């Protein structure tokens, strides 16, 4: 019955917001819903389906956090390692006390290259720095490297993309691999995520959705001129819905980190607000009023990209919502959660 109710709820929401993408709801190994809507390529009218690869924007900060935890587990780094000691890059105005833990938990206080408190148009970034030139992590540095601190390291939580760029650069220096190579070898391969990767916008593989930006007059454009040519450690990987479920399973079954470091990854390190929302390492954590974990979740928003995914430990349920439009995934997540919580 839950399967039918879930599918009906998804269909109702899709009718209202014209959701474009793929949704997977899975309890243990049972698929409760697997639904796709819209086009991966509107011009050619190629439909989205379960094996479509979608951009997930900031959803892949979790990959970066796992990579750092793996290197700590291998004793190549420490969570207390200072930024100045593990990255050969000069930051003239940065606090000397910034460490890896600060970067992982968005408490470093460093300036962001896209500060959501002061900017609302992501495309503003590429006026002086053409997006087609941003293909490696070092290409992001001029956007924030010389700016002043926003606040003292460890003072408070403030969501920060630049901090995760620095974490990716630390992964590169410690592993002597490019960030994309590291994630491919040590996370995607180990988790069995065969269809996922960091792809360049001008060389996308088959079954990859274009991202679409819709306008009120009914016209649209793709997001190829709105985002970096290749995503990095703060966002921009492509996954399928089934690969994302494999990631959650790999985390919870300690295939990527041992039990102690998995626990460290999923610990509530920073309080986000007064509504029981916390941040671990690369993952958001929503708690019940009694302090138990309701869900571990990740999300991503970019022009033409909308992504939510969560694991609900008390119910052993995975939800993955990938969209190749700028909006829609949040409404879908709320509807699915309402359906899950029905008596």
């Amino acid at each position: 019955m839950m399967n039918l109710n879930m599918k009906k709820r998804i269909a109702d929401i899709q009718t209202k917001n014209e959701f474009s993408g793929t949704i997977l709801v899975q309890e243990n190994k049972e698929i409760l819903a697997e639904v796709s809507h819209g086009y991966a390529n509107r011009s050619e009218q190629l439909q989205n389906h379960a094996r479509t690869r979608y951009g997930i924007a900031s959803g892949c900060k979790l990959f970066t956090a796992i990579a750092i935890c793996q290197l700590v587990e291998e004793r190549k780094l420490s969570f207390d390692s200072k930024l100045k000691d593990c990255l050969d890059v000069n930051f003239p105005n940065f606090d000397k006390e910034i460490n890896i833990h600060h970067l992982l938990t968005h408490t470093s206080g460093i300036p962001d290259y896209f500060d959501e408190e002061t900017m609302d148009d992501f495309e503003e970034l590429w006026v002086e720095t053409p997006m087609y030139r941003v293909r490696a992590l070092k290409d992001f540095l001029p956007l924030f490297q010389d700016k002043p601190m926003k606040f003292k390291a460890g003072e408070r939580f403030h969501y920060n993309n630049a901090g995760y760029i620095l974490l990716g650069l630390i992964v590169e220096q410690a592993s002597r691999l490019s960030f994309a190579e590291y994630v491919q070898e040590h996370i995607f391969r180990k988790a069995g995520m065969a269809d996922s990767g960091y792809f360049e916008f001008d060389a996308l593989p088959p079954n990859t959705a274009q991202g679409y930006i819709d306008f009120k007059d009914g016209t649209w454009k793709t997001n190829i001129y709105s985002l970096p040519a290749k995503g990095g450690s703060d966002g921009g990987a492509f996954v399928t819905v089934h690969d994302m479920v494999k990631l959650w399973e790999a985390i919870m079954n300690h295939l990527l980190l041992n039990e102690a470091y998995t626990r460290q990854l999923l610990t509530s390190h920073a309080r986000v607000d007064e509504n029981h929302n916390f941040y671990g390492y690369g993952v958001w954590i929503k708690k019940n009023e009694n302090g138990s974990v309701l869900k571990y979740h990740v999300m991503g928003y970019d022009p033409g990209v909308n992504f939510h995914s969560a694991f609900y430990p008390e119910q052993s349920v995975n939800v993955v919502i990938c969209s190749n439009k700028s909006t829609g995934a949040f409404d879908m997540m709320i509807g699915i959660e309402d359906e899950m919580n029905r008596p």
Side-chain angles (χ1 to χ4, degrees):
M1 180 64 70
M2 183 178 178
N3 300 38
L4 292 174
N5 291 340
M6 183 75 72
K7 291 174 184 176
K8 183 179 184 303
R9 186 64 175 270
I10 290 170
D12 289 344
I13 296 169
Q14 196 279 331
T15 300
K16 292 177 183 176
N17 70 11
E18 297 183 332
F19 175 85
S20 176
T22 299
I23 300 148
L24 178 63
V25 183
Q26 184 170 313
E27 182 178 11
N28 294 313
K29 295 297 181 181
E30 180 187 0
I31 294 176
L32 304 180
E34 182 182 294
V35 183
S36 296
H37 292 283
Y39 293 108
N41 185 314
R42 293 182 183 178
S43 299
E44 303 298 328
Q45 295 197 334
L46 301 177
Q47 293 184 330
N48 287 318
H49 51 79
R51 292 198 62 191
T52 299
R53 314 173 208 241
Y54 296 92
I56 62 170
S58 290
C60 57
K61 284 184 172 68
L62 180 55
F63 308 154
T64 306
I66 292 169
I68 290 288
C69 289
Q70 288 176 336
L71 292 167
V72 174
E73 185 177 332
E74 295 170 14
R75 300 185 184 279
K76 293 181 179 179
L77 296 170
S78 162
F79 295 122
D80 296 323
S81 296
K82 300 286 197 297
L83 172 62
K84 62 184 177 63
D85 296 329
C86 52
L87 194 58
D88 296 332
V89 178
N90 183 41
F91 301 99
N93 301 310
F94 284 15
D95 189 333
K96 304 302 181 188
E97 296 304 307
I98 295 169
N99 61 28
I100 285 177
H101 172 83
H102 293 139
L103 296 170
L104 284 167
T105 56
H106 302 287
T107 58
S108 68
I110 69 167
D112 202 355
Y113 72 86
F114 180 72
D115 190 337
E116 295 176 14
E117 286 185 352
T118 60
M119 302 172 68
D120 57 13
D121 184 0
F122 202 72
E123 293 183 9
E124 291 177 22
L125 287 171
W126 318 123
V127 174
E128 296 182 7
T129 305
M131 80 296 296
Y132 56 81
R133 290 190 169 182
V134 182
R135 297 176 187 265
L137 298 184
K138 63 180 176 59
D139 298 332
F140 288 88
L141 288 173
L143 297 174
F144 66 91
Q145 184 176 3
D146 298 325
K147 292 182 178 180
M149 293 283 290
K150 284 184 68 73
F151 54 85
K152 185 179 178 181
E155 187 176 291
R156 61 185 173 90
F157 176 90
H158 177 255
Y159 191 79
N160 190 298
N161 294 289
Y164 270 72
I165 292 293
L166 297 184
L167 289 169
L169 287 165
I170 291 169
V171 169
E172 291 187 335
Q173 185 163 316
S175 69
R176 299 186 179 182
L177 295 171
S178 76
F179 180 76
E181 289 171 336
Y182 183 94
V183 173
Q184 197 72 47
E185 178 65 21
H186 295 276
I187 298 176
F188 293 164
R189 185 183 63 80
K190 287 184 177 180
M193 300 168 67
D195 293 320
S196 299
Y198 286 85
F199 311 130
E200 296 183 76
F201 266 157
D202 47 5
L204 293 176
N207 290 328
T208 304
Q210 297 277 354
Y212 291 99
I213 302 166
D214 290 297
F215 301 104
K216 291 181 179 179
D217 63 0
T219 61
W220 52 262
K221 67 177 182 179
T222 71
N223 62 356
I224 192 168
Y225 296 124
S226 304
L227 300 172
K230 184 175 183 179
S233 47
D234 66 327
F238 291 80
V239 306
T240 65
V241 290
H242 286 281
D243 273 4
M244 198 65 206
V245 167
K246 289 177 182 177
L247 179 77
W248 287 117
E249 291 174 342
I251 291 170
M252 300 305 167
N253 292 317
H254 310 134
L255 299 181
L256 301 175
L257 297 163
N258 68 24
E259 186 173 353
Y261 283 99
T262 299
R263 188 164 54 248
Q264 189 82 354
L265 181 84
L266 300 176
T267 292
S268 302
H269 294 290
R271 177 181 284 275
V272 176
D273 57 34
E274 300 304 316
N275 297 318
H276 310 293
N277 290 305
F278 298 83
Y279 201 82
Y281 285 164
V283 60
W284 303 86
I285 301 168
K286 177 74 172 180
K287 292 188 176 183
N288 296 303
E289 290 188 5
N290 64 8
S292 64
V293 174
L294 172 65
K295 65 176 175 178
Y296 302 103
H297 61 120
V298 290
M299 61 188 97
Y301 301 94
D302 273 340
V305 179
N306 202 215
F307 168 78
H308 274 253
S309 182
F311 174 70
Y312 303 81
E314 293 179 352
Q315 298 157 291
S316 294
V317 170
N318 285 290
V319 176
V320 186
I321 305 169
C322 295
S323 175
N324 60 329
K325 289 173 59 174
S326 300
T327 60
F330 178 77
D331 292 342
M332 194 64 74
M333 178 64 87
I334 294 299
I336 289 170
E337 288 184 339
D338 286 347
E339 203 59 51
M340 286 169 55
N341 293 326
R342 281 180 181 271

